[in-house]
Amino acid sequence: MGAVVISTNQLTKKFGDFAAVDSVSFDVYQGEIFGFVGANGAGKTTVIRMLCGLLLPSSGTASIAGFDIYSQTEEIKKSIGYMSQKFSLYEDLTVKENIRFFAGIYGLSDKEIREKGDGLVFELGLQESAKKKVKELPLGWKQRLSFSIAIIHSPQVVFLDEPTSGVDPIVRRQFWELIYAASERGITVFVTTHYMDEAEYCGRVSIMVDGKIRALDTPSNLKTRFSGNTMGDVFRSLARGAARVGD
Amino acid sequence: MRTIFLLVQKEFIQVFRDKTLLTLIFLGPIVQLFVLPLIANYGVRNISIAIVDYDHSPYSQQLIRKILSSRYFELGGYASSYKDGRSLVKRDEADLILEIPNGFERDLVRQGQQKVFIAINAINGIKGSLGGAYLSEVLSDFNSEIRLQWMRPERFDNEPRIEIRTSDWYNPYLSFLVLMVPGFLVTLLTNIGSFLTALNIVKEKESGTIEQLNVSPIRKSHIIIGKLLPFWILGVVDFSIGLLIARFVYDIVPVGSVLLIYLFLAIYLTALLGLGLLISTYSETQQQAISISYFVVMLFTFLSGLYTPLDAIPIWAKVLSQINPLTHFITVIRMVMLKGSTFSDVLYPFAAIVVLSLIFNLWAISNYKKTV
């Protein structure tokens, strides 16, 4: 295993009396595909938002790429990529304009933007659509474009918050091919999902129930331990009796 | 610098692709400047007058002709009695009733004096009082005419009289356009400054793209500048178009320094943009942003002295009008454009607008940082 890239210790976020995330501790290693599985409302998004510097934790510690999430948020922002639950490219800009804008704000030079942008468009097979506005693309393409743009500055970690919601299994599979490719390039992937088939694709999976991590291991170990045939079985046996019922 | 450039460039691409927004920014103000100043005219014309003539004499006819030939009055109808005249007023066919008593001519000739009665519908106070004043003027004119007919000039001179001569400065023809056009020039900016800015930022909140900016290494201050600068530029462009319309359509040439006007514009726009940013930090959806902006802009407009002189309003409203950037800019633009006031004449509004701009922006920025 590589170096530790994400490390959390007793990380907690309270909204009033409600502990959305309750003393969560885990380590993620370089190049790993780390799955974060849980029902809606289990606290997955809150963890991601804290790690990305969008939300301040109530207590506990965490570091990303060696930077502290309380005091070194600016350094963290340079070393991460983020793709939110909502599709978040500019719909009224073209594919090329989106690439140029986001690569530009991460400080890539014009030359780098041109090279990486062309490569990205080619990889995604978007040559014909490069001058189209993003809103004209099908959702699956938008998501893959969004992911590619999130890692255009070669971050150490990329956070994906339910990146594939709303598309069919074939498109999801295509999306995961991009994730594997990124992982092979050494980018650590932190992905939340509530699709159990996607959980199978991860290197390690942590299962969150009611703001706490109930299990954390490779999919095959988890299946053996909870004597299930699929990750779905594992999840159901753990999530039984959850207080927060997802919608 | 490069980040700000990218942000501004992105914003301009988006604005120029949005046909509705483009219309609102460029066509809206132009239409406003062509139409509104013509409507907002306090001059009173075409006052309908109901005439109750109990006398039916040559003199009463002469008086009626004189009244109706003035450009202020039109005939609402002849009434056979005062009661009849009242019913004309009730049906909104007349604004004034002129009652000429029986024996008008006889008494005028015999006793050298006579009374007529004027009743005024004062629901619209301006129309009522101006109508009454105009009619009195016509009557006193009529009065001197018949005096001239009857009296020899040398006797006339014995009576001491004070004649008042007024001279109307800065707006010699008392044109309402001269007052209103610079005012509208300022108000039309208010929409762009507060409304569109707030909407624009909230739109990014709704679509989730603002979060994408917030996880990036861009500094918050750069995001804010990148959001506000494009609308600042659009505001300056809009104002310049308006200034040209004022010059070539209404023939209003700034008497004072155009540079001074632009200096104020620059600060006024920052105040407005701060306000827009502030509204956006309190709104999660575009509907909320629209509702708040609508309320604020309406309040600002009515408390700005655009339509009514601020000297007449109660103290508490006066205080409110002072924390309104619109008030100060309207005051200044009227002073500089129409009177040619110089910087030292407008020191107070200048200081006020700078302070307001600082308050709005600091408040907005601190709130923006907290909410994100």
Side-chain angles (χ1 to χ4, degrees):
Chain A
M1 264 184 201
V4 173
V5 176
I6 305 172
S7 173
T8 75
N9 187 15
Q10 304 289 314
L11 194 64
T12 301
K13 179 69 196 182
K14 285 187 173 165
F15 296 107
D17 290 336
F18 173 75
V21 173
D22 194 357
S23 307
V24 167
S25 307
F26 60 86
D27 288 329
V28 181
Y29 303 97
Q30 201 200 333
E32 193 178 15
I33 300 176
F34 188 84
F36 224 60
V37 174
N40 290 328
K44 304 184 302 270
T45 300
T46 311
V47 171
I48 282 204
R49 292 177 64 84
M50 285 192 283
L51 296 179
C52 290
L54 289 174
L55 203 61
L56 221 55
S58 307
S59 62
T61 59
S63 70
I64 290 162
F67 299 117
D68 179 56
I69 61 164
Y70 291 97
S71 56
Q72 294 172 298
T73 48
E74 289 312 308
E75 284 85 350
I76 289 178
K77 284 177 176 179
K78 284 179 194 147
S79 12
I80 62 168
Y82 171 71
M83 180 181 164
S84 77
Q85 234 165 346
K86 279 184 189 169
F87 172 75
S88 49
L89 295 177
Y90 290 100
E91 299 242 330
D92 43 0
L93 298 188
T94 66
V95 173
K96 273 269 164 99
E97 286 163 348
N98 266 293
I99 294 172
R100 192 180 129 67
F101 176 73
F102 282 107
I105 62 175
Y106 278 97
L108 271 65
S109 71
D110 285 336
K111 188 164 161 269
E112 283 174 303
I113 292 173
R114 222 173 307 122
E115 286 169 5
K116 289 204 169 190
D118 287 345
L120 186 159
V121 166
F122 181 75
E123 241 174 79
L124 296 177
L126 282 172
Q127 293 95 323
E128 310 232 316
S129 311
K131 293 207 166 116
K132 274 192 189 164
K133 283 179 203 155
V134 164
K135 65 176 163 212
E136 294 164 26
L137 301 180
L139 181 60
W141 287 28
K142 285 185 196 169
Q143 288 173 336
R144 293 198 299 151
L145 178 63
S146 191
F147 175 73
S148 301
I149 288 177
I151 58 168
I152 198 163
H153 56 294
S154 309
Q156 294 204 41
V157 193
V158 62
F159 291 94
L160 309 173
D161 193 3
E162 301 195 357
T164 57
S165 47
V167 294
D168 60 58
I170 297 165
V171 177
R172 288 222 300 271
R173 183 70 232 181
Q174 288 173 337
F175 190 88
W176 274 83
E177 278 162 18
L178 288 178
I179 294 183
Y180 281 124
S183 159
E184 271 160 31
R185 280 167 51 196
I187 297 176
T188 309
V189 179
F190 187 106
V191 55
T192 72
T193 181
H194 52 236
Y195 292 119
M196 291 307 144
D197 59 330
E198 288 190 344
E200 310 262 3
Y201 305 151
C202 298
R204 282 191 305 149
V205 175
S206 91
I207 294 177
M208 247 189 129
V209 178
D210 292 348
K212 291 193 170 89
I213 291 183
R214 295 288 300 274
L216 198 175
D217 214 329
T218 62
S220 59
N221 285 353
L222 284 172
K223 281 185 274 192
T224 322
R225 207 170 111 206
F226 294 95
S227 46
N229 291 322
T230 63
M231 282 304 292
D233 298 336
V234 174
F235 181 69
R236 274 187 291 277
S237 66
L238 279 168
R240 200 173 292 136
R244 300 177 204 164
V245 182
D247 45 26
Chain B
M1 270 320 282
R2 184 154 174 265
T3 337
I4 293 177
F5 172 75
L6 283 166
L7 284 163
V8 171
Q9 188 190 36
K10 181 214 86 179
E11 217 60 63
F12 272 115
I13 296 176
Q14 286 180 307
V15 168
F16 281 94
R17 285 208 182 131
D18 190 332
K19 295 279 176 295
T20 323
L21 204 59
L22 212 56
T23 316
L24 253 165
I25 293 175
F26 290 107
L27 215 56
I30 293 173
V31 172
Q32 253 184 340
L33 263 185
F34 273 108
V35 177
L36 288 184
L38 301 177
I39 299 169
N41 192 333
Y42 299 129
V44 175
R45 263 177 215 181
N46 303 332
I47 303 163
S48 301
I49 184 165
I51 295 172
V52 189
D53 185 1
Y54 290 120
D55 200 41
H56 296 290
S57 59
Y59 269 116
S60 75
Q61 288 304 313
Q62 198 184 329
L63 175 62
I64 290 166
R65 254 200 318 278
K66 187 168 173 58
I67 289 169
L68 294 181
S69 63
S70 97
R71 64 194 173 99
Y72 299 114
F73 297 101
E74 61 177 26
L75 183 66
Y78 285 106
S80 55
S81 65
Y82 179 70
K83 211 180 142 209
D84 235 29
R86 282 284 295 270
S87 71
L88 279 175
V89 172
K90 274 188 189 155
R91 288 202 300 274
D92 236 7
E93 282 166 26
D95 304 307
L96 290 179
I97 306 171
L98 173 72
E99 194 186 40
I100 303 172
N102 199 4
F104 173 73
E105 186 180 64
R106 188 191 59 219
D107 293 353
L108 196 64
V109 174
R110 262 193 219 152
Q111 300 164 13
Q113 65 171 38
Q114 186 46 277
K115 288 193 174 85
V116 293
F117 177 67
I118 307 171
I120 300 166
N121 169 16
I123 287 178
N124 181 338
I126 295 175
K127 203 173 183 182
S129 58
L130 278 180
Y134 290 156
L135 191 56
S136 312
E137 218 173 288
V138 176
L139 287 172
S140 82
D141 238 29
F142 180 73
N143 212 357
S144 11
E145 270 175 34
I146 49 176
R147 277 158 66 104
L148 268 174
Q149 279 176 19
W150 295 347
M151 295 172 184
R152 280 197 298 274
E154 56 269 24
R155 272 186 65 195
F156 195 24
D157 277 340
N158 290 343
E159 224 170 297
R161 269 175 62 175
I162 297 173
E163 196 179 332
I164 300 167
R165 283 213 188 144
T166 56
S167 101
D168 298 312
W169 279 46
Y170 307 123
N171 183 3
Y173 302 107
L174 299 178
S175 157
F176 283 97
L177 287 175
V178 170
L179 180 71
M180 294 317 281
V181 170
F184 280 123
L185 204 55
V186 175
T187 42
L188 66 85
L189 286 179
T190 315
N191 280 336
I192 297 183
S194 56
F195 210 59
L196 297 181
T197 312
L199 222 56
N200 178 282
I201 298 171
V202 175
K203 198 170 138 198
E204 284 218 29
K205 264 196 205 176
E206 274 186 352
S207 70
T209 44
I210 200 110
E211 199 151 88
Q212 209 65 42
L213 298 183
N214 287 333
V215 293
S216 78
I218 310 182
R219 272 191 249 144
K220 289 251 163 74
S221 58
H222 287 186
I223 298 181
I224 293 173
I225 294 171
K227 275 279 158 209
L228 301 191
L229 190 57
F231 288 93
W232 190 89
I233 295 171
L234 288 172
V236 173
V237 171
D238 249 12
F239 184 83
S240 308
I241 296 174
L243 216 52
L244 290 176
I245 293 178
R247 168 72 185 79
F248 291 106
V249 178
Y250 299 108
D251 216 20
I252 300 172
V253 186
V255 180
S257 152
V258 176
L259 214 65
L260 182 57
I261 295 176
Y262 270 87
L263 175 69
F264 257 86
L265 173 70
I267 301 166
Y268 175 69
L269 280 173
T270 35
L272 274 189
L273 296 172
L275 181 71
L277 182 67
L278 185 62
I279 292 171
S280 78
T281 61
Y282 283 105
S283 328
E284 288 305 315
T285 64
Q286 295 190 58
Q287 283 97 319
Q288 286 173 354
I290 291 173
S291 317
I292 302 176
S293 315
Y294 183 72
F295 173 75
V296 172
V297 168
M298 199 163 72
L299 207 64
F300 274 7
T301 309
F302 279 104
L303 279 174
S304 68
L306 173 66
Y307 298 107
T308 45
L310 288 176
D311 306 307
I313 63 176
I315 297 282
W316 61 265
K318 242 178 229 177
V319 172
L320 281 180
S321 76
Q322 291 307 301
I323 55 172
N324 175 359
L326 204 54
T327 310
H328 302 293
F329 196 25
I330 287 184
T331 310
V332 168
I333 199 169
R334 280 178 177 163
M335 284 172 78
V336 176
M337 259 182 108
L338 308 177
K339 281 199 289 193
S341 302
T342 56
F343 187 69
S344 58
D345 299 319
V346 294
L347 270 180
Y348 166 71
F350 184 80
I353 212 161
V354 168
V355 170
L356 285 175
S357 173
L358 280 175
I359 292 174
F360 287 149
N361 279 288
L362 292 177
W363 182 5
I365 289 167
S366 76
N367 209 45
Y368 179 86
K369 288 188 169 160
K370 257 184 275 164
T371 48
V372 174

